[in-house]
Amino acid sequence: MKKQMLIVALAAACAMSTHAVTAQPEKVASTQMKPVAAQTQAALWASRVLGRYHYKALPLDDAMSEKIFDNYFETLDSEKLYFTQADVDRFAPMRTRFDDAINNEDLAQPFAIYNLYQQRFADRMNYARGLLKTKLDFTVDETLQLDREKAPWAKSEDEVRDLWRKRVKNDWLRLKLAGKEEKAIRETLDKRYENYISRMKKLNNEDVFQMFMNAYATAIEPHTNYLGPRSADNFDIAMRLSLEGIGAVLQSREDYTVIREVVPGSPADKSGKLKVGDRIVGVAQGNGPFTDVLGWRIDDVVQLVRGEKGSTVRLDVIPGDAGVDAKHVTVSMVRKKISMEEQAAKKSIIQVKENGVARRIGIISLPTFYQDFEARRKGDKDFKSATRDVARILGELKKEKVDNVLIDLRNNGGGSLTEAVELTGLFIDKGPVVQQRTAEGRVEVESDTAAGLAWDGPMGVLINRGSASASEIFAAAIQDYGRGLVIGEPSFGKGTVQTLIDLDRFSQSEKVRYGELKMTIAQFFRINGGTTQLRGVTPDIKLPVTSDIENFGESSFDNALPWVSIKPATYIPAGDLKELVAPLQKRHEARIAKDKEFHDLREDIAEVMKLRKENAISLNETVRRKERDSQDARAKLREARLAAGKGGSVDEPAAAPGGKEARSKVPEPTRPGKAVIAARNTPMRDDGLQGDERALSAEIAAEKAAKDAKDVLLQEAAHILADEAGMLKTDTRMATRTMPYMATGKADPSAASLAK
């Protein structure tokens, strides 16, 4: 879901006293919410800043008012489950007046819309609870539409009630298929719906104002947000202490708190039990009782997960690769400070054997573009950075005589721009890396200025839809210079720069707080003049697309900044790999045509696309059981084959330092043994990290298969680079044309690069 009730998902990797949770106000909101003077003033100042300093500055006029109106209703009720068309029509006169409301400091109408929403929410929940006392018929052939974001508003009360009848029926059927008895199902669902009402009552006028202002901010551009005073404080804590806690980034999806990212080396990562896509339904402090968090607002869940370093937190989790009513897993973790060492770049070597010839491919996995800014500012010559670590690893790989190097940037969401520039400098001999254009049209070029290379041999970059920002800058520069092959799927497409604007500076009193704006102020451009915005980086060699591109990535936003181009920077290409692409692509396709695991992967992806297109789930118990049993049998067959070592022709990775196998960076749904099949009873949107409906009898086998499974995409990328290395060694003329560095031996033994 692109628009959540609470827009900003905060990192749960922050340390904070657990007493802070109880310190938050728990008062039940009054029946009618009203804005306060500070909020109307904050809205006015925010509009002035956005209208003047935003990269895509748009006037606050009637046209913008219409966008805010639609955004606000979608923010409150994106699935069209609470309001009816009559409710929306009731406020139609305000469609072109929200600009006047902000300018005149009169926000009564936005709050009136919320008050109606609150009433409708209670109505729907009470109706749902009433249905639990009735007899539901699971022999009828009817379906529930899963994703209603693009559906029209219900035309009548009867229509919206029928939607809720189907939702309650589906909730009941989920629990029934999971083995619960009727009494337990009724109690579970009644408590769940009651909890929804309870959470709604705890929203206050700051929450309402933030939702309205975010409807305004995101109407301009998707990466622009308003943070109310409480959210601003949480954001500051997240940024300041982002490396303390359990090391997981959370987001809201439907009623669930979902793990969006797991920080390498963190307690969440080291537990071995938490993965991207897992759903947190309960949180406990130490050995205390679990607090049910289903339906909670994201920042309240974050408050519970946070805690002092050394304290213990337990999570009640539904695995992301199982049905939503599958067996829960309890994960206990000790909160800690996550050292940069544990997040650092890591290496492994994959040995590829083909036609009796062995090639060694060095893999450098880089989870983020990190840098110890404080140490560097203080002049510490040994400050920690991604570039320095990669340079060191490249030196080690040279000694180990690898034939090619692959930089694995899958799911690397970015980080330091400086690191992206300097990391590029390890593979080129001076030159521009990225361009930035400000709102005023001023273009600045960020360049690598240190002479020499740390690695002059062939190299490649592996990306996926989760590769964003700094990852895209690096991959684009390597591609534009003709320095290495980019392999994988199109990247995220985020080519914009944001900054935080403190609105409190406009306040006339220290006690009156206005909050903050996270605002887009510039755009990145490639050195060839194009941009990574919207389109991302297109790989030279394309691997199967495993993400839901329609709902994950910059292109999934209706109002994302467009792809544009500017004048190219002045640079000298390091090579031209175009001659290599066609033959490498041909070999790649021939190889995967024989690979059973790739066949499985494509089969899973096709199933996902089919289910997303259907966008419906049966409410017939016999049909659902048959679907689940079929998926279960399919998963068991695949897991048995993997356990028997008959998965395919790809070689296993060589041991990584420390004796551990190379760690997969691919989200679980793209890995063999953890089927990509989208659950028919889970939301089909956001980032494509939906699970399947395998029965729990396969749980042990599934865990073993996942542990033993090979990273198919990484292995194939290694094969592609092995092919490239072989072609360059057997055809010296091609090597001279495509990789002049190899021919001239123009490499500095990493000294210059290490000094950057």
Side-chain angles (χ1 to χ4, degrees), residues 409 424 461 463 470-480 486 526 537:
L409 297 182
T424 305
V461 184
I463 60 173
S471 289
E472 295 176 289
I473 290 171
F474 174 78
I478 293 297
Q479 191 175 59
D480 290 344
V486 177
R526 301 171 65 141
V537 178

Side-chain angles (χ1 to χ4, degrees), residues 96-283:
T96 58
R97 297 178 187 170
F98 274 162
D99 55 328
D100 302 317
I102 293 173
N103 287 324
N104 295 331
E105 298 186 41
D106 181 5
L107 300 182
Q109 287 302 302
F111 275 74
I113 292 172
Y114 177 80
N115 288 330
L116 178 61
Y117 167 72
Q118 187 173 236
Q119 178 185 327
R120 292 289 181 261
F121 187 94
D123 291 344
R124 308 312 175 212
M125 289 300 107
N126 289 329
Y127 177 67
R129 296 179 74 183
L131 287 173
L132 297 177
K133 300 175 183 178
T134 66
K135 185 73 174 178
L136 301 174
D137 185 358
F138 296 104
T139 65
V140 179
D141 287 325
E142 61 179 349
T143 60
L144 172 69
Q145 184 180 6
L146 289 173
D147 186 345
R148 288 184 44 80
E149 277 196 276
K150 297 180 181 179
W153 299 102
K155 294 182 178 62
S156 65
E157 278 293 311
D158 287 342
E159 185 177 335
V160 79
R161 287 191 169 207
D162 192 56
L163 287 173
W164 276 96
R165 178 188 65 80
K166 290 182 177 181
R167 283 180 67 86
V168 172
K169 191 173 177 180
N170 184 53
D171 287 346
W172 188 296
L173 184 53
R174 285 175 176 173
L175 296 177
K176 188 175 183 181
L177 291 173
K180 283 187 176 288
E181 298 297 328
E182 182 175 327
K183 182 181 179 182
I185 293 174
R186 185 173 285 109
E187 290 175 352
T188 298
L189 293 181
D190 189 61
K191 183 178 180 181
R192 181 181 299 176
Y193 300 152
E194 182 183 24
N195 186 45
Y196 291 164
I197 297 173
S198 176
R199 301 309 303 173
M200 170 62 71
K201 289 180 178 178
K202 292 183 180 179
L203 293 179
N204 54 38
N205 65 353
E206 182 179 322
D207 299 312
V208 179
F209 178 65
Q210 178 167 297
M211 284 186 273
F212 173 69
M213 288 304 295
N214 261 308
Y216 174 19
T218 56
I220 300 172
E221 186 264 344
H223 300 292
T224 297
N225 297 105
Y226 169 77
L227 306 175
R230 179 185 177 189
S231 292
D233 288 343
N234 282 336
F235 187 82
D236 291 342
I237 293 170
M239 293 300 100
R240 188 170 65 250
L241 300 171
S242 60
L243 297 183
E244 291 192 19
I246 69 167
V249 178
L250 308 181
Q251 71 173 117
S252 274
R253 188 188 302 156
E254 286 293 305
D255 299 320
Y256 293 96
T257 297
V258 180
I259 294 178
R260 173 76 182 198
E261 178 184 340
V262 175
V263 178
S266 68
D269 181 34
K270 289 185 174 181
S271 73
K273 295 181 180 180
L274 286 179
K275 299 177 290 295
V276 171
D278 285 353
R279 290 150 289 192
I280 299 172
V281 294
V283 180

